[in-house]
Amino acid sequence: MDSSRDVQDIELLRHYHLDKINPDKWVDEEDLPSWVHDDEINNDPHGGRTTPRDRRANASVVDDETSTLSEQVDLLGLVKGNIFKSKNIRSGDTHLISSTQKSFNPQRYLYAVHAETSYDDLVAGVDNLKVSMTRRSAALRVLVQNNFDRFVSAKNVIDSVYDDMKEKTLNESQDYGTHKLNSILRESYGKAHEVINPVLERREKIEKLRSTLGLLEPYRLFFNLPSTLQESIKQGKYQQAARDYNKGRVLLAQAFPTNTPTGSGPGSSGGDSPSTHSSSTLIETKRKVFDRVWSEVERIVGRLRTDLECQLEEPWRGMEEHERNIKLLYELDTATDPVWHCLSSQYRWIKKIMTESYEEQVHLLEELRKKEDLVNTHIMSMSGRTDLFKQILEALRSTEFETTFGKRAEVKVWIAINTSVKTLSELLLRLLPDFWKLATTYMDGRIQKVQKRRTGAAVDPQKITQCNAMVKDVLELYSSQLRHILIDTLVPEYQIVSEVDEDGSERTVDHTPRTVSAVVTGLFLGKIITEVSNCVNDINGLSLRGGSFMVLVDLMMEIRWKFLDVLCYNWAKDAEVFYRHEDWTLHAENSQITVFVGLFCDFHEHCLNSAYKFASIWTATTEDSVPSDDVLAVIPTDHTDKIRKTFLGSLYSFLDGLVHLAFADADRPNSNSKSNTGASAVGTIENIIAKKAKVIDTSELDSRILVTVSNLNELKAATIPRLLKEIEKTCGLQMADDGVTLVDAVNQLDNILFEDYIKRKAVVTNRLITDGILYGGVDWGSLPVPTAVQSYIYEALLSLVVVHAQITEIAPPLVHRALSALLVNMTQDCLRCFQDIKEFGKGGLLQVTLEMEFMNHTMVQYQSPASGELLQQIYTTIDNAFKPQGGSLENDMLGLRKVLSDSRHATQTQFKCFKKPK
């Protein structure tokens, strides 16, 4: 009983997953150890231990007796989950440890799955396995017991069916069930043979008839050949006509293999067959009929050859059409050389049309240059020329430049020259490539390969030389035309004409070889040389032979030098008279300078860039085709030397013009500076600087000098370094030494102008001081103790106030420099006058000290070492000439300080401008 009770207790604990009979806490099913699931082994098809969660997951495969290799539970029920996921399982062991495989190895299974399992657990696992196997066996017995009668019934039915089939059809006498099918197939074959045999016999007869028609077909084409050729020619099907003609020649050669009219057909092809010999014998009796037919064919084809040769002479036809006609002529056995005939005709036509186009363009240019409005432009007043130049310079970068100024005669000429070059270049590029393509095809023998096969003749070397000579002749014609337009007659002959100034006076001026200005010249020459360069490079892409391309190389070198020479001439000439474009209009953002400086900078940069473009523009120099993207030519040394010389010469000419502007009478007052020419220019200088703040009275010499000095400072500080940097960057030149020389020249001009201004302003202070000290009736030896500063010092300083106001209004940066220089001059005048006084009394000494200190304190921010040294010399001079008198100077000096303070306080309003701004 105790043993039975123990077994029941164990079963109860397993069924309810309990640790003991009287549990004292709740335990979740997932947290239970693996051994508590032994009672579920019979529910696992693999005999392993599973939790209820695992049982739900495997519900779909419970009845499957074969588990997959991807999942396998522990047979002993000790390892939870899929044992294939264990780290001890190797990829090659899956078949050895899977219980569903025939290769299952128990020892390998224990080693792989339970290598670390204890003995006691293994013993428990064996018990679990036994229990599982017992339950499986019991279930199998129950299954057999419940379904035994069904098994017996199914076995009887199967045996009965097999015996019945074996007795009826599945025997050797019935061919195992195929006897009836074979009989049907044999019967069908016999009926099909009866139906198809007549069809095959009729097909054989058709083939015989078709063979007979095949023997007659070639000759039917021959007899129909004249009408066929006429119909094809009428419809423009020349290729079809040529094919039919060649077919007729072959048929004729086959009909008369020993004597063909043309003698060039392949008469031996197919002539050895019996059918051909029999046909030839039959046709021999009717040879005259064949001759008449062939004569008519030759007449028709001869007329076609003549028409095609005439088409080769028609230049308006495309090159593709010419090539097609040439091939047709070769196929039609022409007696002449159609390629050479076409090349000769095209050559004559190209030269003719290029000559006609050139003569037309030259005529237009001559007519434009003869117009009276062009002559009137040469005698335009300087004011009109200046305003026109400003408008052109401002609109230079605009895409509407030609639209804006295209009505001016000078611009018309440039546009006409550019159009002429463009027309001739486009004409060459339109005509020469097709001509050269045909010529190379002819020289390489590609287009006449059919003729070579027939005659074996090669291309005549003399004709190859003549083809290269034709191309060279065309390029020389183009070169001579451009040389005449761009080199020989680009600029007019030397002309010395009269020019009218504002005051009505006339003077002779050299207008050679200039048009409007260097900027316009550079603009259009840049367009022209780009057009020519593009044409030359495109021609280079044709890969010409025989040295023809070198004609264009020489032309391009001449054009580059000519354009550079013309531009540099105009550049230098414009720089010489550039000062005339100064209208004294102040810059909107920097009122100390005029727009004239920026105008010259833009002019100079444009001329520099244009000159560099002419010198560096790239063109091919050999007949080999090379790419031209972003490539610059090697600039000859003489080109860079000319650019450098013109660049520096123009700058020096401009500096000379600045000095001329400062000292010469103003050409016109600023109030009349606006142009009244009526030109509808867009973006003129006046419109751009409409917000200018002040105007200069150019009738005043002082104003012109101050503005010119400010312009010189701007040149030295910004413009010249910018231009030098530009030429160094553009042309790769070293301009450091030239820059130093330029700055020295600017400094010299600056000193000349500034010293002239100071001298004229110092005259006033010199007169006031001289009159006050020497001729003011002052007895410096007997003066009493001073009580105030004498008036001549006030007046001298007030004259400096006027200078200060003038400079501040025009050029504020020059205030300190000018007043410092005037203070030195004023101190020198005082020293000179005091040196002429033989002796100073006590009052005189104190008076001089008071006035010098008053001047020194008032002008303290303009003091310089030079003025300080002069002041010390004044004190030394009066000390040397001082004649001591009774009384102490120290007490008088205390009173002098008070007088000085009162004087400065009383004049602080008048001399407030001299104070250093806070």
Side-chain angles (χ1 to χ4, degrees):
M1 287 295 291
D2 294 338
S3 175
S4 176
R5 180 178 299 174
D6 292 339
V7 172
Q8 292 177 356
D9 291 343
I10 291 173
E11 294 294 333
L12 183 65
L13 291 174
R14 286 183 176 179
H15 181 75
Y16 290 101
H17 303 164
L18 299 177
D19 297 328
K20 52 188 177 179
I21 297 298
N22 298 316
D24 53 359
K25 64 178 181 178
W26 179 267
V27 179
D28 290 334
E29 190 176 27
E30 287 80 5
D31 299 330
L32 295 176
S34 60
W35 58 268
V36 301
H37 302 292
D38 290 344
D39 58 330
E40 307 295 339
I41 293 177
N42 60 323
N43 294 328
D44 187 356
H46 309 299
R49 299 180 183 274
T50 60
T51 64
R53 179 179 299 175
D54 298 329
R55 291 197 304 273
R56 288 192 299 269
N58 298 327
S60 61
V61 294
V62 169
D63 295 332
D64 189 2
E65 294 183 358
T66 305
S67 72
T68 62
L69 292 179
S70 61
E71 295 184 3
Q72 177 69 49
V73 297
D74 185 17
L75 299 177
L76 302 182
L78 301 178
V79 178
K80 187 178 181 180
N82 188 0
I83 64 174
F84 287 155
K85 296 182 179 180
S86 175
K87 62 181 180 180
N88 294 327
I89 303 300
R90 295 181 297 182
S91 59
D93 292 344
T94 55
H95 292 278
L96 297 177
I97 65 176
S98 177
S99 62
T100 62
Q101 302 296 321
K102 293 183 179 180
S103 60
F104 176 73
N105 189 323
Q107 291 81 5
R108 191 64 183 170
Y109 178 85
L110 291 175
Y111 175 76
V113 179
H114 296 288
E116 299 178 357
T117 306
S118 64
Y119 176 78
D120 295 336
D121 291 339
L122 289 174
V123 172
V126 171
D127 294 338
N128 295 337
L129 182 59
K130 290 179 179 180
V131 172
S132 175
M133 292 176 63
T134 301
R135 291 179 178 178
R136 285 175 176 266
S137 299
L140 183 61
R141 285 195 298 272
V142 172
L143 177 64
V144 173
Q145 182 179 356
N146 294 337
N147 297 281
F148 182 75
D149 55 342
R150 295 182 182 178
F151 294 154
V152 174
S153 175
K155 179 67 168 59
N156 293 332
V157 172
I158 293 172
D159 291 342
S160 176
V161 171
Y162 176 73
D163 293 339
D164 186 55
M165 292 176 63
K166 188 174 181 182
E167 291 177 359
K168 292 184 178 180
T169 57
L170 296 178
N171 51 54
E172 186 177 359
S173 61
Q174 294 295 326
D175 292 335
Y176 299 99
T178 62
H179 177 72
K180 186 175 181 179
L181 178 62
N182 290 335
S183 299
I184 294 173
L185 291 176
R186 284 193 294 270
E187 185 179 353
S188 299
Y189 176 78
K191 291 181 179 180
H193 187 72
E194 293 176 359
V195 173
I196 293 176
N197 275 347
V199 174
L200 295 177
E201 292 175 357
R202 285 193 296 270
R203 182 176 181 180
E204 185 177 356
K205 294 178 181 180
I206 291 172
E207 291 296 334
K208 291 180 179 180
L209 292 175
R210 186 174 297 168
S211 176
T212 303
L213 291 176
L215 293 174
L216 298 177
E217 182 66 23
Y219 301 108
R220 184 173 67 87
L221 175 64
F222 181 84
F223 290 112
N224 293 334
L225 188 57
S227 60
T228 303
L229 289 176
Q230 289 180 347
E231 186 66 23
S232 298
I233 295 172
K234 183 179 180 180
Q235 296 179 2
K237 299 179 180 179
Y238 299 145
Q239 191 68 39
Q240 181 65 38
R243 286 197 296 268
D244 292 341
Y245 173 73
N246 287 324
K247 288 179 181 179
R249 293 175 66 255
V250 172
L251 291 174
L252 188 62
Q254 291 176 353
F256 307 102
T258 58
N259 186 16
T260 61
T262 59
S264 59
S268 61
S269 61
D272 295 335
S273 62
S275 60
T276 304
H277 280 297
S278 60
S279 300
S280 300
T281 304
L282 177 64
I283 298 173
E284 186 67 30
T285 59
K286 298 182 180 179
R287 184 184 184 96
K288 294 182 180 180
V289 176
F290 275 81
D291 290 342
R292 284 200 301 269
V293 172
W294 189 249
S295 299
E296 180 65 16
V297 169
E298 285 291 355
R299 185 184 66 80
I300 297 173
V301 171
R303 189 166 59 248
L304 177 59
R305 292 193 194 102
T306 303
D307 293 341
L308 292 177
E309 289 175 355
C310 292
Q311 290 183 13
L312 292 178
E313 299 178 0
E314 296 174 353
W316 53 270
R317 296 184 181 273
M319 191 55 62
E320 294 182 358
E321 187 174 356
H322 285 323
E323 291 180 358
R324 185 178 67 249
N325 292 339
I326 290 171
K327 292 178 180 178
L328 287 174
L329 286 171
Y330 277 125
E331 292 180 5
L332 295 175
D333 279 342
T334 179
T336 60
D337 189 344
V339 183
W340 184 252
H341 180 73
C342 182
L343 287 174
S344 302
S345 301
Q346 289 291 317
Y347 167 69
R348 292 190 298 271
W349 177 72
I350 289 174
K351 292 193 65 176
K352 177 183 177 182
I353 194 172
M354 288 184 64
T355 303
E356 291 176 353
S357 178
Y358 165 73
E359 292 175 351
E360 179 182 358
Q361 298 300 325
V362 170
H363 177 72
L364 292 176
L365 284 174
E366 291 177 352
E367 291 297 322
L368 280 175
R369 284 171 171 157
K370 290 178 180 179
K371 284 189 177 180
E372 187 175 355
D373 57 349
L374 180 61
V375 178
N376 293 335
T377 303
H378 286 305
I379 59 174
M380 180 187 296
S381 65
M382 184 50 61
S383 61
R385 185 184 298 277
T386 299
D387 292 323
L388 176 63
F389 175 78
K390 290 181 180 180
Q391 295 169 13
I392 289 174
L393 191 60
E394 286 301 322
L396 198 60
R397 298 180 180 88
S398 173
T399 57
E400 299 179 354
F401 178 84
E402 294 184 7
T403 303
T404 304
F405 300 98
K407 294 182 180 180
R408 301 199 60 82
E410 304 92 337
V411 178
K412 283 183 179 180
V413 172
W414 279 119
I415 293 176
I417 294 175
N418 186 29
T419 303
S420 301
V421 174
K422 187 175 182 179
T423 300
L424 294 175
S425 299
E426 290 179 349
L427 186 61
L428 180 68
L429 291 176
R430 181 165 58 88
L431 301 177
L432 187 60
D434 289 341
F435 179 83
W436 178 246
K437 179 182 177 182
L438 181 61
T440 52
T441 305
Y442 175 72
M443 289 187 291
D444 295 340
R446 297 194 300 269
I447 200 170
Q448 60 271 42
K449 57 184 178 181
V450 177
Q451 185 72 5
K452 283 184 179 181
R453 284 201 304 265
R454 294 175 179 175
T455 63
V459 182
D460 187 359
Q462 185 177 0
K463 290 186 176 180
I464 295 179
T465 304
Q466 290 179 359
C467 285
N468 291 326
M470 288 179 184
V471 175
K472 187 174 183 179
D473 193 22
V474 171
L475 294 181
E476 286 179 348
L477 177 61
Y478 171 77
S479 177
S480 64
Q481 292 172 351
L482 290 194
R483 188 175 287 104
H484 179 265
I485 295 175
L486 300 181
I487 297 177
D488 299 338
T489 62
L490 179 64
V491 293
E493 298 295 332
Y494 283 87
Q495 298 176 5
I496 305 299
V497 299
S498 298
E499 189 172 87
V500 181
D501 287 336
E502 290 290 332
D503 56 1
S505 61
E506 294 186 3
R507 54 180 173 176
T508 58
V509 179
D510 179 13
H511 281 285
T512 307
R514 306 173 59 210
T515 54
V516 178
S517 66
V519 291
V520 177
T521 302
L523 173 66
F524 283 99
L525 290 183
K527 293 181 178 181
I528 293 171
I529 200 170
T530 300
E531 187 70 37
V532 178
S533 175
N534 292 337
C535 177
V536 172
N537 290 329
D538 290 343
I539 295 299
N540 173 255
L542 301 178
S543 300
L544 302 180
R545 308 171 189 173
S548 303
F549 182 73
M550 299 310 295
V551 174
L552 298 182
V553 174
D554 296 338
L555 172 67
M556 197 64 198
M557 293 300 297
E558 294 180 24
I559 290 177
R560 285 170 60 185
W561 175 253
K562 180 63 177 183
F563 281 16
L564 181 63
D565 183 61
V566 171
L567 177 68
C568 289
Y569 182 89
N570 283 271
W571 186 1
K573 286 296 182 180
D574 279 356
E576 291 177 3
V577 296
F578 200 86
Y579 66 90
R580 299 180 185 176
H581 300 308
E582 173 65 279
D583 61 356
W584 305 104
T585 303
L586 297 180
H587 198 280
E589 297 178 358
N590 184 4
S591 60
Q592 286 79 45
I593 63 174
T594 61
V595 296
F596 175 64
V597 178
L599 196 69
F600 175 76
C601 184
D602 293 341
F603 158 77
H604 215 56
E605 284 185 339
H606 175 78
C607 292
L608 173 62
N609 292 329
S610 298
Y612 177 73
K613 180 178 182 179
F614 303 155
S616 63
I617 190 168
W618 184 89
T619 51
T621 56
T622 63
E623 291 184 342
D624 298 331
S625 179
V626 293
S628 59
D629 296 338
D630 301 327
V631 180
L632 294 178
V634 178
I635 306 177
T637 305
D638 56 345
H639 288 55
T640 54
D641 290 343
K642 191 173 187 64
I643 294 175
R644 178 202 291 267
K645 180 180 179 181
T646 308
F647 177 87
L648 295 174
S650 299
L651 278 174
Y652 286 118
S653 298
F654 176 72
L655 294 177
D656 293 340
L658 288 179
V659 178
H660 177 79
L661 284 172
F663 290 118
D665 294 336
D667 291 334
R668 56 184 177 179
N670 185 270
S671 59
N672 297 327
S673 61
K674 292 187 177 181
S675 173
N676 194 25
T677 59
S680 59
V682 290
T684 62
I685 291 294
E686 288 76 8
N687 294 330
I688 293 175
I689 60 171
K691 56 180 182 179
K692 59 186 178 181
K694 53 189 177 182
V695 183
I696 299 174
D697 184 6
T698 56
S699 62
E700 293 290 337
L701 177 61
D702 292 343
S703 300
R704 299 199 302 273
I705 288 180
L706 290 174
V707 173
T708 303
V709 171
S710 296
N711 287 343
L712 287 172
N713 290 335
E714 177 69 15
L715 281 171
K716 180 172 62 176
T719 305
I720 290 179
R722 171 183 169 183
L723 293 175
L724 291 175
K725 183 178 179 181
E726 182 70 19
I727 191 173
E728 288 178 347
K729 177 182 177 182
T730 304
C731 301
L733 300 174
Q734 297 298 325
M735 303 294 291
D737 295 338
D738 297 312
V740 172
T741 306
L742 274 172
V743 172
D744 290 342
V746 172
N747 289 332
Q748 292 177 9
L749 296 178
D750 177 86
N751 292 333
I752 292 173
L753 295 173
F754 189 76
E755 288 176 2
D756 179 81
Y757 177 81
I758 295 300
K759 284 180 181 179
R760 287 185 289 101
K761 296 303 176 184
V763 171
V764 179
T765 58
N766 176 272
R767 179 177 52 80
L768 292 173
I769 290 173
T770 302
D771 291 347
I773 296 176
L774 298 180
Y775 306 114
V778 179
D779 185 1
W780 297 96
S782 59
L783 277 177
V785 176
T787 58
V789 178
Q790 295 187 69
S791 61
Y792 76 91
I793 289 295
Y794 285 121
E795 293 175 357
L797 291 175
L798 285 175
S799 69
L800 296 185
V801 171
V802 175
V803 174
H804 184 281
Q806 184 184 43
I807 300 176
T808 302
E809 175 67 20
I810 299 174
L814 299 178
V815 170
H816 189 278
R817 179 184 176 189
L819 291 182
S820 296
L822 289 173
L823 179 59
V824 171
N825 279 274
M826 187 174 175
T827 309
Q828 286 177 341
D829 292 337
C830 291
L831 176 60
R832 176 180 52 78
C833 293
F834 288 139
Q835 288 175 343
D836 291 341
I837 299 175
K838 295 182 179 179
E839 64 178 31
F840 290 88
K842 177 181 178 182
L845 176 65
L846 295 175
Q847 186 69 44
V848 172
T849 303
L850 174 63
E851 292 168 352
M852 293 300 101
E853 288 299 319
F854 178 79
M855 180 181 68
N856 185 42
H857 283 77
T858 302
M859 305 290 291
V860 63
Q861 71 162 325
Y862 303 110
Q863 289 286 349
S864 63
S867 61
E869 183 179 352
L870 290 172
L871 188 61
Q872 291 299 323
Q873 293 180 15
I874 290 175
Y875 289 146
T876 302
T877 299
I878 60 176
D879 284 343
N880 293 335
F882 174 63
K883 183 178 180 181
Q885 298 175 353
S888 174
L889 288 175
E890 295 181 0
N891 295 330
D892 295 331
M893 285 295 181
L894 293 176
L896 189 65
R897 291 192 183 94
K898 185 177 184 306
V899 174
L900 176 62
S901 177
D902 293 341
S903 299
R904 293 198 61 204
H905 181 72
T907 59
Q908 63 180 355
T909 302
Q910 292 91 328
F911 303 133
K912 185 178 181 180
C913 61
F914 295 144
K915 289 185 177 181
K916 188 175 182 180
K918 295 181 180 180

